[in-house]
Amino acid sequence: MDAARNVSGVVSAAGDSVLNRSIMQLLEHVDYRLITGGEDLEAIYRLRYKSYLRSGMCGPIASGMFEDCWDNLPNSYRFGVYCYGELVSTLRFHYISSEHPHSPSVDAYPEILVSRLARGETFIDGTRFASDPDGAPSPGVLPFLTLRLAMVASCYFGQNSVLTPVKIEHSNFYSRYFNAVQRTEAKVFPGVLVPIALFEIPAGENMHRTLERFPFFRSTPTEQRLMFGNPAINRLTPLSIVPTAKYYRDAA
């Protein structure tokens, strides 16, 4: 939800080609971990808390960790993004359908989503974005490294669209790079202290154009299956996944 911080100044000064080269080089040092328990799970909860407390999205929590009632749903996937072996950001997804209709956005915006789920539409709901700007390898790259997860998920699930609840002041980032469309006014969102609006990123041709424009978002079917082919819960150890954007042509 907080992905746009520190991006605009960097990206506005660089063209897409410079951005593509920069992110592709960084992916050589990145791995994504599908996290279900243990110290890695505590680490992403602590990162959430650190990020949200700093931005005013939450108040003090005695445990120093931020978790919620949606974390352990059967359609939930929690990821840590590691650069040079260090945790730098985290993002959570829910794949929502009529079979698994529960997620933060469905609970926050039922007037928008419940009827669409009943008609058979499916969505990826991306929430609990958090990052450590002090650990970023360079300014402005963490949103792209982290939101690449959403593109991998979209290629795997083939849903109608991606839902992203965000602060209004960060909406330009999602509109510019993902053609996100605002669906609601800003309102109280479960678990955070600031108003959040629901934005929707259409799939289909829109996703195809985004992948063409930003090749670092591409992924092989193998990477997609490793991330999402098994339930995120009931795994005993975290699963580390290496980005495959550079192998996309060979795999295709």
Side-chain angles (χ1 to χ4, degrees):
M1 287 187 293
D2 205 15
R5 181 176 297 139
N6 295 328
V7 174
S8 58
V10 174
V11 175
S12 62
D16 290 352
S17 61
V18 175
L19 176 64
N20 282 325
R21 287 196 300 271
S22 176
I23 300 298
M24 289 294 281
Q25 291 171 357
L26 275 174
L27 287 179
E28 296 286 340
H29 309 285
V30 168
D31 66 277
Y32 298 104
R33 294 186 194 174
L34 176 60
I35 294 174
T36 59
E39 293 181 357
D40 287 299
L41 187 59
E42 290 188 3
I44 66 171
Y45 289 164
R46 291 185 187 281
L47 178 56
R48 284 184 192 172
Y49 176 65
K50 177 182 177 182
S51 175
Y52 290 2
L53 185 65
R54 176 183 296 186
S55 64
M57 293 181 66
C58 77
I61 300 174
S63 67
M65 295 187 287
F66 188 106
E67 56 184 310
D68 62 37
C69 62
W70 298 281
D71 273 313
N72 291 303
L73 292 178
N75 60 332
S76 174
Y77 300 81
R78 292 163 296 191
F79 286 94
V81 181
Y82 292 76
C83 191
Y84 296 100
E86 298 295 326
L87 177 65
V88 293
S89 64
T90 180
L91 186 65
R92 182 185 65 195
F93 296 103
H94 291 82
Y95 175 64
I96 48 179
S97 63
S98 58
E99 182 179 2
H100 294 287
H102 300 295
S103 80
S105 290
V106 174
D107 289 349
Y109 314 104
E111 71 281 6
I112 301 293
L113 298 172
V114 169
S115 61
R116 294 177 64 181
L117 286 168
R119 292 197 299 267
E121 292 189 56
T122 58
F123 305 93
I124 293 168
D125 188 14
T127 56
R128 300 308 184 226
F129 180 103
S131 64
D132 180 8
D134 298 330
S138 58
V141 300
L142 289 184
F144 296 102
L145 293 177
T146 310
L147 294 174
R148 183 178 177 274
L149 286 161
M151 301 302 293
V152 179
S154 184
C155 290
Y156 179 79
F157 287 110
Q159 76 299 322
N160 291 90
S161 60
V162 175
L163 306 174
T164 178
V166 299
K167 298 177 183 178
I168 292 295
E169 58 264 36
H170 295 161
S171 61
N172 286 341
F173 172 81
Y174 292 91
S175 299
R176 177 176 181 181
Y177 292 100
F178 300 98
N179 294 312
V181 179
Q182 185 174 350
R183 295 302 186 197
T184 71
E185 298 299 320
K187 60 183 286 188
V188 175
F189 191 86
V192 296
L193 300 177
V194 299
I196 299 293
L198 180 66
F199 283 75
E200 182 175 358
I201 302 170
E205 182 59 29
N206 178 59
M207 288 292 183
H208 177 75
R209 290 194 301 268
T210 303
L211 291 171
E212 288 295 315
R213 183 181 176 192
F214 302 114
F216 57 81
F217 283 142
R218 297 175 181 173
S219 58
T220 64
T222 298
E223 183 182 1
Q224 296 162 22
R225 287 193 298 270
L226 286 172
M227 283 191 180
F228 299 105
N230 296 293
I233 59 172
N234 297 325
R235 190 187 299 278
L236 296 179
T237 58
L239 176 64
S240 292
I241 302 138
V242 176
T244 59
K246 69 176 183 179
Y247 302 119
Y248 181 82
R249 290 180 180 175
D250 293 338

